[in-house]
Amino acid sequence: MAALQWWQAGVIYQIYPRSFQDTDGDGVGDLRGITARLDYLAGLGVNAIWISPFYPSPMKDFGYDVADYTGVDPLFGTMEDFDVLLAAAHRRGLRVIMDFVPNHTSDEHPWFVESKSSRTNAKRDWYLWHDPAPDDGRPARERLPNNWMSHFGGPAWEWDERTQQFYLHSFLKEQPDVNWRNHEVRAAMYDAMRFWLNKGVDGFRMDVLWLLIKDKEFRNNPPNPEYHSGMRDFASTLPVYNANRPETHEIVVEMRGLMDGYGPTLPGHVDAKETDSAMEKQSARSHRVLIGEIYLPLPELVTYYGMPVKHGPAGTPGPETPELNGANLPFNFHLIQVEWNASAIADVVRTYEQLLPPGAWPNYVLGNHDRRRLASRIGLKQTRAAAMLLLTLRGTPTMYYGDELGMVDVPITPDQVRDPAEKNEPGKGRGRDPERAPMLWVNAPNAGFTAPDATPWLPIEADWQTKNAATQRSDPKSMLTLYRRLLGLRRQHDTLNAGAIADVAAEGDVLRYRRVQLPDGESTDFQVLLNLGTEAATIRCAPGTVVLTTLLDGAGARVEGEATIEAGEGLMIALD
Ligand code: GLC
């Protein structure tokens, strides 16, 4: 077995805690609910769970507005519930990744309450306060410091009458941005990270990591020449001065340095002494994973892996494969954003592989709580091929809860809207409620998500009677069975984790690539063929034996020279 760290060989599963499992009948999921479902997750075959925020919060943005970085919101349970969850997960070999929200706090966080109290408060500089633009006859409150827009609609500036200044909020006005140039802020955030690392959490998914630092001079963003009024406000300018600023990398390096100081939480970690390549030594050092939420084009995304770590005295040449000092996994969302066809996806994979700096470990994401559900985006028929794609590409896959059941976007009527993004900019396609609907567990009222007589916080998907996990578990051809098989194969075959990827190409509507064994690894190479079109396709293929079809019907068949693949079907072939 190649020496990979758990976050390289493993599969990450995102849980949106409001929607996973409710145990107290209030219609909102909780930590005890997650603990109750750990056997399901271990049985599914994932290796780590990332849980969206459960910190104390006024819930204006459902927990992404944190009022205390070292607590648990009573809605989700208690700190003891979390300790029980962490221990129970670790007993099953499951890692736990926290969501950390460094860019902004809640406006009810004591830091902001202090900061807002006066211009001379010691924490004034912890947030981004700014004077109004020079007097032009308009009242001060109308003279915005610059043209930066909020991601959730309207300007990113909010006027504070008492202290006669604006504060910056990249999201809701109830989510003021903190000032990451202030070293006290950094120290306070790092202390909060240590609090959880000391408890034994296995890593962080850092919210909007590429937005942390803003231009020191608060320069205006250039207008977006392609903007039209049907687009959301944020698209009116190009985020040149409030995103992806060079100094952001300094912070990523600091976070990574802090986290690399922590040891393994579970036995079975990689021992650096047993490995030879620098790549493996690097992975061996990162027992806790640093993941960054970063929406950027690939060439910029890969810079978040960081720079080679210098060894020895300044100027001495580093090792051949350098150790990098940035994020372990800058989330790669390009499979979510790309047009769903073979040549576009082949392009993404090839470009990404070419751009990855030496020492960087790839990763792919197919869905999350901010984007339309996979099955709604690409159509149910394509989701099986998508599952095979995600779980056979080179790199760490991140799955979104419910995708393993083929859950779709749930229709939300205007009176059911909960998401502030939709409330602020109605009808612009911003709403994130549809992809946040409750998990479907059993064929019973409320699909087992909450008590039968409770009202779930969002509506239950209409197909719950057949789509729930229990029903799919006993169906040998269900989507859930497919995910279990794919996850099983990933565990079983080292080539799928550690092997190279080769010959990524589109042949008509068929996406094809090979996973190639390591020189000293097992003796299987795999050919993956995915038909992303609407018609069956026959293409040539080296001889081998079918290991898995996404329709779960053809395993064991021989392939001699060519293979026929149904629309939306995927084949995995063990080459002779
Ligand atoms: C991230 C989260 C999103 C949240 C936003 C503001 O993009 O994924 O859900 O609304 O940050 O914190």
Side-chain angles (χ1 to χ4, degrees):
M1 179 78 183
L4 292 181
Q5 192 53 269
W6 62 269
W7 49 265
Q8 298 175 302
V11 175
I12 302 170
Y13 183 99
Q14 181 191 355
I15 293 177
Y16 196 66
R18 293 183 74 86
S19 304
F20 201 58
Q21 176 68 66
D22 178 26
T23 59
D24 61 6
D26 63 358
V28 175
D30 43 47
L31 295 180
R32 287 184 183 200
I34 298 173
T35 305
R37 294 300 184 181
L38 289 174
D39 283 335
Y40 168 82
L41 296 166
L44 178 60
V46 298
N47 307 75
I49 53 175
W50 145 38
I51 312 174
S52 283
F54 49 83
Y55 307 97
S57 163
M59 301 291 165
K60 290 287 190 307
D61 188 20
F62 298 114
Y64 284 96
D65 47 330
V66 178
D68 171 5
Y69 285 94
T70 56
V72 171
D73 196 283
L75 184 68
F76 295 117
T78 62
M79 190 58 83
E80 200 196 334
D81 291 336
F82 176 75
D83 293 338
V84 169
L85 163 58
L86 182 62
H90 281 172
R91 269 200 306 281
R92 289 165 177 82
L94 285 168
R95 313 285 175 150
V96 177
I97 299 167
M98 303 268 303
D99 208 313
F100 199 85
V101 190
N103 180 69
H104 43 268
T105 68
S106 159
D107 62 341
E108 292 182 23
H109 194 296
W111 299 342
F112 188 69
V113 174
E114 273 193 55
S115 182
K116 200 181 171 182
S117 65
S118 85
R119 285 202 191 197
T120 53
N121 183 274
K123 290 201 170 55
R124 184 67 171 181
D125 185 52
W126 281 39
Y127 292 82
L128 294 162
W129 293 96
H130 206 291
D131 285 332
D135 196 351
D136 60 1
R138 287 177 302 160
R141 58 172 309 128
E142 287 173 24
R143 300 197 315 263
L144 302 176
N146 65 20
N147 68 355
W148 295 358
M149 301 303 282
S150 155
H151 286 263
F152 290 159
W157 295 100
E158 181 70 13
W159 177 247
D160 179 50
E161 194 58 44
R162 179 148 47 128
T163 60
Q164 296 283 300
Q165 278 189 318
F166 290 94
Y167 66 85
L168 184 78
H169 58 92
S170 296
F171 295 89
L172 298 175
K173 67 179 185 345
E174 294 87 356
Q175 293 170 295
D177 284 37
V178 301
N179 177 10
W180 270 91
R181 292 181 192 271
N182 180 310
H183 285 269
E184 287 172 20
V185 167
R186 293 192 192 192
M189 289 287 186
Y190 298 157
D191 277 349
M193 287 170 65
R194 287 189 194 97
F195 173 86
W196 297 103
L197 292 166
N198 286 332
K199 274 188 178 286
V201 306
D202 297 276
F204 294 108
R205 172 266 189 192
M206 288 290 169
D207 193 64
V208 299
L209 190 58
W210 86 115
L211 303 185
L212 295 192
I213 289 272
K214 282 84 187 174
D215 181 45
K216 218 172 183 163
E217 296 158 40
F218 295 90
R219 281 171 281 186
N220 274 321
N221 279 329
N224 176 5
E226 282 160 30
Y227 178 73
H228 59 81
S229 60
M231 290 162 91
R232 59 202 183 100
D233 294 352
F234 185 77
S236 61
T237 65
L238 300 172
V240 171
Y241 292 112
N242 53 352
N244 193 30
R245 301 303 300 164
E247 304 96 311
T248 313
H249 293 280
E250 225 179 77
I251 298 166
V252 182
V253 171
E254 286 178 7
M255 288 176 167
R256 171 70 185 277
L258 183 165
M259 292 178 66
D260 276 358
Y262 284 81
T265 63
L266 286 178
H269 64 280
V270 182
D271 183 346
K273 286 189 296 278
E274 290 168 11
T275 67
D276 38 17
S277 81
M279 165 83 202
E280 288 166 357
K281 285 209 182 80
Q282 165 181 12
S283 328
R285 220 181 46 212
S286 288
H287 299 287
R288 317 287 178 100
V289 70
L290 175 59
I291 302 175
E293 185 205 18
I294 301 165
Y295 284 93
L296 283 175
L298 288 171
E300 285 142 48
L301 177 67
V302 299
T303 64
Y304 282 81
Y305 283 104
M307 301 292 281
V309 178
K310 299 263 185 320
H311 290 272
T316 38
E320 235 171 79
T321 307
E323 298 178 36
L324 300 172
N325 64 3
N328 300 112
L329 302 175
F331 259 157
N332 171 3
F333 297 118
H334 287 265
L335 290 183
I336 296 183
Q337 295 166 312
V338 72
E339 204 187 310
W340 197 257
N341 67 59
S343 72
I345 296 173
D347 243 11
V348 163
V349 176
R350 278 193 307 249
T351 309
Y352 185 50
E353 286 282 344
Q354 272 161 20
L355 287 170
L356 285 170
W361 185 256
N363 79 90
Y364 293 91
V365 184
L366 259 189
N368 63 35
H369 64 295
D370 295 324
R371 301 286 151 154
R372 298 185 63 202
R373 280 266 179 200
L374 174 70
S376 297
R377 237 170 39 227
I378 66 170
L380 204 51
K381 188 134 199 204
Q382 289 289 328
T383 49
R384 289 185 179 236
M388 185 174 272
L389 174 70
L390 178 70
L391 295 172
T392 60
L393 281 173
R394 186 176 87 92
T396 305
T398 300
M399 301 170 46
Y400 185 49
Y401 85 91
D403 279 354
E404 75 274 27
L405 307 178
M407 282 177 69
V408 295
D409 283 347
V410 168
I412 300 291
T413 58
D415 59 307
Q416 289 169 331
V417 172
R418 308 294 300 266
D419 180 16
E422 176 67 17
K423 286 186 176 170
N424 285 358
E425 296 190 282
K428 292 202 173 173
R430 297 284 289 128
R432 300 171 295 178
D433 296 320
E435 62 264 27
R436 296 175 177 180
M439 177 71 174
L440 309 174
W441 292 108
V442 292
N443 183 5
N446 284 329
F449 162 68
T450 183
D453 55 348
T455 307
W457 81 286
L458 284 174
I460 307 276
E461 184 178 331
D463 285 348
W464 58 272
Q465 279 170 310
T466 49
K467 214 180 246 186
N468 67 79
T471 303
Q472 291 205 34
R473 181 80 169 80
S474 53
D475 173 356
K477 297 208 168 166
S478 68
M479 183 78 78
L480 181 58
T481 302
L482 172 63
Y483 268 91
R484 290 167 57 98
R485 291 295 315 281
L486 283 165
L487 287 158
L489 286 169
R490 241 190 120 86
R491 265 199 313 277
Q492 195 183 334
H493 296 288
D494 204 15
T495 303
L496 293 177
N497 297 318
I501 187 164
D503 302 332
V504 183
E507 208 172 306
D509 286 331
V510 176
L511 174 66
R512 61 185 303 159
Y513 50 87
R514 281 187 303 121
R515 295 303 309 278
V516 187
Q517 59 165 310
L518 301 167
D520 57 349
E522 58 174 318
S523 59
T524 317
D525 279 9
F526 294 100
Q527 175 72 59
V528 179
L529 301 173
L530 304 166
N531 183 351
L532 308 185
T534 51
E535 321 248 301
T538 299
I539 65 164
R540 82 202 140 69
C541 175
T545 306
V546 175
V547 185
L548 185 69
T549 75
T550 55
L551 300 173
L552 297 161
D553 59 359
R558 285 289 303 163
V559 174
E560 308 281 359
E562 61 174 36
T564 298
I565 319 154
E566 300 300 322
E569 190 189 18
L571 298 188
M572 198 173 139
I573 297 156
L575 296 172
D576 291 348

